[in-house]
């Protein structure tokens, strides 16, 4: 069984996280019963049926219980996993303790029971200030900014060399969902993408970031024909893709090409884009996923393009040190990546 990563960043933000999780936990009776059942005695994952029986809920509460379990998992208060047979009652999912929440359960419950206690606790969200040029940007200012749309296209038409682009997308979604500025970012997932779906996304979304994950080479990317039988791909050259990106009134600021040898694009997209992130060599699924998840986590935290890219590189170093130099940040003339804030 693979434990899903918590959507909460516990790196030094203990008090703030306890306050936020306390708000999420709240006083809903069914939610609290299920939460207490999970963090009671025992360490084995349990199904919804088992927990409903433990807290005295009957069948008419089944949908309410499922809604509350989904909510607890979405907020990072519990861990949800696919049932791999550890619970033999036909349940699809099982639920277990989140280690950091277990360690800080008392404080989380305290803030859930008495929200007024949080009013006197300064948090990093309230005190964060960043200077950009002569302009001061606070977290509240960033929250009010126009939503960033990300057109996230993936393709893996080569059945002999399939890529885990679906797993990459899931990790990116979880990273963004756990960020402070998650409401500023909308990820628009386009699987089995081809040129038409990318152009439709450009028209419909006016995205600030256009992202592609899949196979590629120094000349272009391999898109999908989206057919179920006999899957196959077609190469779209960087020149043609750049033409598509430029053929809109509001072109994206950043192009991310998370595919092998995509640095062959060089400055095909510049302008109208302000920056291109591409790969200078082949890149593994592991490294590509690590980079994407951390890059978007940083963007969704209000970091600059420069900082987000640097964090993505650090994430690659952690999982595959020899691929750390693969990502490249290519900027348009006159663009300072340290002053480009996307969320």
């Amino acid at each position: 069984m693979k434990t899903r990563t918590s959507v909460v960043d516990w790196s030094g933000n203990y008090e703030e996280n306890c306050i936020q999780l306390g708000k999420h936990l709240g006083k809903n009776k069914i939610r609290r019963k299920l939460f207490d059942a999970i963090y009671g005695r025992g360490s084995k994952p349990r199904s919804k049926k088992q927990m409903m029986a433990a807290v005295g809920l009957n069948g008419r509460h089944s949908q309410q219980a499922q809604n509350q379990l989904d909510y607890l998992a979405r907020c990072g208060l519990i861990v949800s996993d696919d049932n791999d047979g550890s619970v033999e009652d036909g349940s699809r999912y099982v639920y277990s303790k989140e280690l950091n929440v277990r360690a800080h359960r008392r404080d989380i419950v305290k803030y859930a029971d008495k929200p007024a206690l949080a009013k006197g606790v300064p948090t990093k969200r309230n005190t964060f200030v960043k200077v950009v040029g002569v302009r001061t940007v606070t977290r509240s200012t960033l929250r009010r900014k126009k939503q960033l749309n990300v057109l996230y296209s993936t393709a893996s038409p080569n059945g002999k060399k399939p890529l885990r682009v679906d797993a990459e997308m899931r990790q990116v979604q979880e990273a963004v969902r756990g960020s402070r500025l998650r409401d500023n970012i909308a990820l628009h997932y386009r699987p089995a993408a081809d040129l038409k779906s990318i152009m439709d996304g450009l028209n419909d979304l006016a995205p600030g970031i256009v992202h592609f994950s899949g196979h590629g080479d120094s000349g272009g990317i391999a898109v999908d024909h989206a057919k179920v039988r006999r899957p196959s791909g077609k190469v779209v050259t960087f020149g043609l893709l750049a033409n598509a990106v430029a053929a809109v009134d509001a072109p994206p600021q950043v192009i991310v090409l998370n595919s092998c040898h995509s640095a062959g694009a060089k400055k095909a997209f510049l302008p109208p884009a302000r920056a291109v992130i591409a790969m200078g060599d082949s890149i593994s699924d592991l490294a590509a996923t690590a980079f994407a998840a951390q890059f978007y986590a940083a963007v969704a935290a209000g970091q600059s393009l420069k900082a987000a890219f640097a964090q993505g590189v650090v994430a690659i170093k952690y999982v595959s040190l020899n691929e750390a130099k693969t990502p490249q940040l290519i900027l348009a003339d006159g663009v300072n990546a340290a002053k480009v804030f996307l969320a």
Side-chain angles (χ1 to χ4, degrees), residues 216-220 237-239 257 259-269 276-281 326 328 330:
D217 57 30
S218 59
T237 66
F238 292 128
L257 299 171
S259 56
C260 297
H261 303 286
S262 53
K266 297 189 181 297
K267 295 190 176 183
F269 298 91
V276 174
I277 293 174
M279 304 300 155
D281 203 338
T326 301
Q328 297 182 11
I330 307 165

Side-chain angles (χ1 to χ4, degrees), residues 20-251:
Q20 294 302 318
L21 290 175
K23 290 180 180 179
H24 292 317
L25 180 58
K27 298 181 180 181
N28 180 281
K29 291 182 180 180
I30 293 179
R31 186 187 307 156
R32 291 295 291 269
K33 284 182 178 181
L34 294 169
F35 179 81
D36 291 340
I38 290 173
Y39 286 94
R41 298 179 65 181
S43 59
K44 293 183 178 180
R46 292 194 285 176
S47 68
K48 180 185 71 173
K49 295 177 183 178
Q50 291 177 323
M51 286 185 288
M52 287 180 63
V55 301
L57 296 175
N58 57 36
R60 65 188 178 89
H61 295 109
S62 179
Q63 188 57 55
Q64 294 180 61
Q66 187 61 61
N67 292 342
Q68 295 304 327
L69 287 169
D70 290 344
Y71 178 84
L72 289 168
R74 188 164 63 247
C75 293
L77 282 158
I78 63 175
V79 175
S80 170
D81 284 305
D82 295 329
N83 184 6
D84 60 359
S86 60
V87 177
E88 298 179 351
D89 64 1
S91 296
R92 183 176 178 183
Y93 300 109
V94 291
Y95 305 90
S96 58
K97 299 176 177 68
E98 203 285 329
L99 296 180
N100 289 295
V101 173
R102 182 178 65 177
H104 300 87
R105 178 189 173 195
R106 182 176 298 178
D107 287 334
I108 292 170
V109 172
K110 176 183 69 176
Y111 289 120
D113 291 339
K114 299 180 180 179
L117 293 175
K119 293 182 179 179
V121 180
T123 66
K124 293 185 178 180
R125 185 175 299 188
N126 295 330
T127 58
F128 175 89
V129 175
K130 180 172 285 190
V131 177
V132 183
V134 296
R135 188 166 61 91
T136 300
V137 179
T138 64
R139 288 287 185 198
S140 59
T141 303
L142 286 170
R143 272 199 221 88
R144 292 195 298 268
K145 289 182 70 176
K146 184 177 179 181
Q147 186 180 62
L148 169 67
N149 286 319
V150 179
L151 176 58
Y152 207 108
S153 300
T154 66
S156 184
N158 189 338
K160 295 181 179 179
K161 296 181 179 180
L163 300 175
R164 289 304 310 279
V165 289
D166 52 345
E168 174 190 319
M169 184 65 219
R170 173 178 157 179
Q171 291 195 29
V172 170
Q173 289 172 327
E174 291 182 348
V176 170
R177 188 167 66 242
S179 69
R180 291 192 176 101
L181 305 181
R182 55 186 173 271
D183 293 336
N184 286 26
I185 294 184
L187 295 169
H188 301 274
Y189 184 31
R190 297 293 188 271
D194 60 5
L195 183 61
K196 185 179 185 305
S197 71
I198 293 173
M199 294 183 71
D200 288 344
L202 289 165
N203 289 334
D204 296 341
L205 305 170
I209 299 178
V210 169
H211 180 112
F212 177 81
S213 289
H215 287 294
D217 57 30
S218 59
I221 57 174
V223 297
D224 201 311
H225 66 6
K227 293 181 180 179
V228 176
R229 300 184 65 183
R230 296 180 181 177
S232 64
K234 179 179 180 180
V235 174
V236 172
T237 66
F238 292 128
L240 182 58
L241 186 59
N243 290 340
V245 168
V248 291
D249 292 326

